[in-house]
Amino acid sequence: MQETYSIRKFSENSTVKRPKEIGSFSRDIENRIHIDDSQLSYYYLPDGDLDGNPGINLGAGLASFRKNPKVDYGDFAGLLGSIMKYEQEHGKKVNAKIISWRGLMKKLMLLPYDNRERFIFNIVVFDGQLFIQSDFEFRKYCEEQDEESLNDIQRKFIYSGYKFETIATLPKPWAECTRKEIEKRNKLEVNNIEQYCSVVRTTIGSTSLVLGAEVDCVYDYKPCDGSDPLAHYVELKTTGPLNDPTKVANFENKLLSTWAQCFLVGIPRIIYAFRDGSLQVRSIEEFKTEEIPLLIKNNPINVQKHKQNPNLKVVNKSMQSIKYLSGILQWLEQSIDINDESKTYTLEFNPSKNSMFVTLSPNPEDITTKLLSPYNEEKGGMLTEEFKAWRKELKGKK
């Protein structure tokens, strides 16, 4: 039986528990997963790089860009491997009602303000927890459609983001890098395969979560004394010039999205590269995640609107987004029987059919069979056999 949840239904519970990292993992250039920090990068972009000749061109090397041949649907191998390592070290199951990816939670969180795109998520019930992942076939379809629709300019803009990450980071702390490693950054082949991911535990409203999230780099170092590394992480972004009101409004939407992305997993620092039409970096600006809600509220456009109409209420989109996510996650918990592992579910938003509601439906037998089958990457099975066997072993120890 299908259930629905309005995109205008906000919970009153806006409490948030500070995120804490419980693990991490890496993906190498061959798409192999390692439960370690081998792909962690370190921020390095001295002012001289920006001001020098020829400066920083984010379009250089596009022809050699190495694009991931695999569909980015959120394979769980690395995330579950990291959770398993944490549980083995602590001797108990991680305390979370939902296990998923930061990107999926961001989509839900911003739905009241960003509701033009369809999404389909699959939900598997296992060991008293909900595991939420993008539907592989739908993600594959979306990527194919995007690839066909992109023009050369759009491809360059997308590439520029990956290029900035390559130029602005080092594979080791600066003091441990050779001069050659530091100077060759602009000539490195750019790819979107290698990544470092943090695994974070947090609570939104009454719902505890474990989220996997790609992290661009650390600003200085990752502490090894047991203290939480989240305070050292940085999100890197690129954007165009803000030379007219429309672009300023678009940047406000970008900032809201970036805020949500960082807020969910406790990343405190965002560094934006402002590029011109020829993809030359013109300036670098740093934002603190916690200050972005106030920046958006005090946007000159919003201030001017309020002056023209004092009765116009400026909505705190950040707070409303938290309240929305709190509500929809609680609804999922109440709607799904966590003791029945024979069923799987689809969570879908399709604005072309119903732009005001998210739907939750039990999956038909064939999809459930595929999701619950032995893990085989995109061919079937959401949860790895190793993880399922570990949870069975852990239960037996009690």
Side-chain angles (χ1 to χ4, degrees):
M1 182 176 176
Q2 188 180 86
E3 296 188 43
T4 60
Y5 191 87
S6 170
I7 69 169
R8 293 288 180 262
K9 189 175 181 180
F10 300 93
S11 169
E12 286 305 311
N13 188 348
S14 60
T15 57
V16 178
K17 183 177 281 188
R18 179 183 289 274
K20 182 179 181 181
E21 181 175 279
I22 63 168
S24 59
F25 64 94
S26 299
R27 187 175 72 193
D28 68 22
I29 193 65
E30 302 301 330
N31 264 304
R32 293 174 300 216
I33 297 296
H34 307 272
I35 311 301
D36 59 26
D37 294 347
S38 54
Q39 292 297 330
L40 180 63
S41 296
Y42 297 79
Y43 183 71
Y44 179 75
L45 194 68
D47 292 340
D49 287 9
L50 186 63
D51 301 330
N53 185 16
I56 300 174
N57 187 334
L58 299 182
L62 175 59
S64 62
F65 176 54
R66 187 168 174 179
K67 188 176 183 296
N68 197 337
K70 291 193 172 185
V71 176
D72 183 19
Y73 72 104
D75 182 277
F76 267 161
L79 178 55
L80 298 183
S82 187
I83 291 172
M84 192 168 71
K85 180 182 178 182
Y86 171 84
E87 292 178 343
Q88 288 169 342
E89 290 172 351
H90 290 78
K92 60 181 180 179
K93 184 173 78 173
V94 67
N95 179 25
K97 297 174 181 176
I98 291 175
I99 295 173
S100 188
W101 294 102
R102 182 257 314 269
L104 276 63
M105 294 302 105
K106 188 184 86 165
K107 278 186 182 293
L108 293 179
M109 187 176 185
L110 296 180
L111 204 52
Y113 306 107
D114 186 0
N115 43 45
R116 294 164 297 176
E117 294 184 359
R118 182 185 181 190
F119 63 71
I120 301 176
F121 301 160
N122 287 315
I123 303 176
V124 163
V125 182
F126 178 70
D127 199 16
Q129 295 171 319
L130 305 182
F131 294 78
I132 307 178
Q133 182 185 68
S134 289
D135 180 76
F136 172 78
E137 295 298 336
F138 180 70
R139 284 300 309 154
K140 182 181 179 183
Y141 168 78
C142 289
E143 288 190 13
E144 289 171 350
Q145 292 296 111
D146 288 345
E147 187 63 29
E148 290 177 9
S149 65
L150 289 175
N151 58 40
D152 289 343
I153 294 176
Q154 290 169 322
R155 290 181 203 279
K156 287 179 181 179
F157 286 155
I158 292 171
Y159 170 79
S160 71
Y162 297 119
K163 179 69 173 181
F164 180 56
E165 290 176 22
T166 303
I167 288 177
T169 59
L170 292 168
K172 296 176 290 189
W174 174 84
E176 298 175 21
C177 289
T178 64
R179 183 172 179 177
K180 183 178 180 181
E181 286 175 317
I182 293 170
E183 293 180 349
K184 73 175 184 179
R185 289 169 297 135
N186 196 38
K187 297 178 181 177
L188 290 174
E189 181 183 74
V190 178
N191 73 83
N192 68 338
I193 305 171
E194 296 169 300
Q195 64 175 210
Y196 166 78
C197 290
S198 174
V199 179
V200 171
R201 183 172 58 199
T202 187
T203 300
I204 305 292
S206 61
T207 306
S208 52
L209 306 104
V210 167
L211 302 177
E214 183 179 1
V215 174
D216 292 332
C217 60
V218 291
Y219 191 77
D220 40 23
Y221 65 95
K222 181 173 180 177
C224 54
D225 60 358
S227 57
D228 196 353
L230 293 178
H232 299 264
Y233 289 155
V234 180
E235 179 68 26
L236 302 178
K237 293 290 186 184
T238 62
T239 192
L242 308 182
N243 49 15
D244 64 56
T246 300
K247 290 178 180 176
V248 171
N250 289 340
F251 183 63
E252 179 182 308
N253 294 333
K254 274 189 179 182
L255 268 184
L256 180 67
S257 177
T258 308
W259 166 82
Q261 185 178 347
C262 294
F263 171 83
L264 280 168
V265 293
I267 295 176
R269 191 188 308 251
I270 302 155
I271 295 176
Y272 260 96
F274 289 84
R275 46 167 169 73
D276 61 20
S278 62
L279 300 185
Q280 195 78 11
V281 177
R282 294 304 177 191
S283 64
I284 302 288
E285 189 166 350
E286 184 179 313
F287 296 87
K288 291 183 179 178
T289 302
E290 63 181 11
E291 294 176 355
I292 288 178
L294 191 59
L295 284 176
I296 293 174
K297 184 179 179 182
N298 293 337
N299 181 326
I301 295 176
N302 292 333
V303 172
Q304 185 61 32
K305 285 180 179 178
H306 185 70
K307 284 183 178 179
Q308 293 171 349
N309 183 2
N311 295 322
L312 183 67
K313 186 178 179 181
V314 178
V315 176
N316 186 332
K317 292 182 179 179
S318 299
M319 180 57 70
Q320 291 298 94
S321 297
I322 294 171
K323 289 182 176 181
Y324 182 77
L325 182 60
S326 171
I328 196 170
L329 292 180
Q330 187 177 35
W331 169 70
L332 284 176
E333 284 189 71
Q334 294 169 346
S335 302
I336 296 175
D337 182 359
I338 61 168
N339 298 309
D340 186 355
E341 296 183 1
S342 66
K343 294 179 182 178
T344 67
Y345 301 83
T346 291
L347 183 69
E348 180 176 5
F349 177 68
N350 188 349
S352 65
K353 288 186 177 180
N354 192 333
S355 63
M356 291 302 297
F357 289 92
V358 181
T359 61
L360 177 69
S361 312
N363 278 321
E365 187 177 348
D366 59 330
I367 294 179
T368 292
T369 299
K370 181 179 179 181
L371 290 172
L372 298 183
S373 65
Y375 171 78
N376 190 15
E377 296 187 1
E378 69 267 16
K379 296 176 184 177
M382 185 187 290
L383 307 183
T384 63
E385 298 310 293
E386 187 181 23
F387 181 75
K388 288 187 282 188
W390 157 249
R391 282 293 180 85
K392 185 176 180 181
E393 179 186 337
L394 188 60
K395 270 187 176 180
K397 292 180 178 180
K398 293 181 179 179

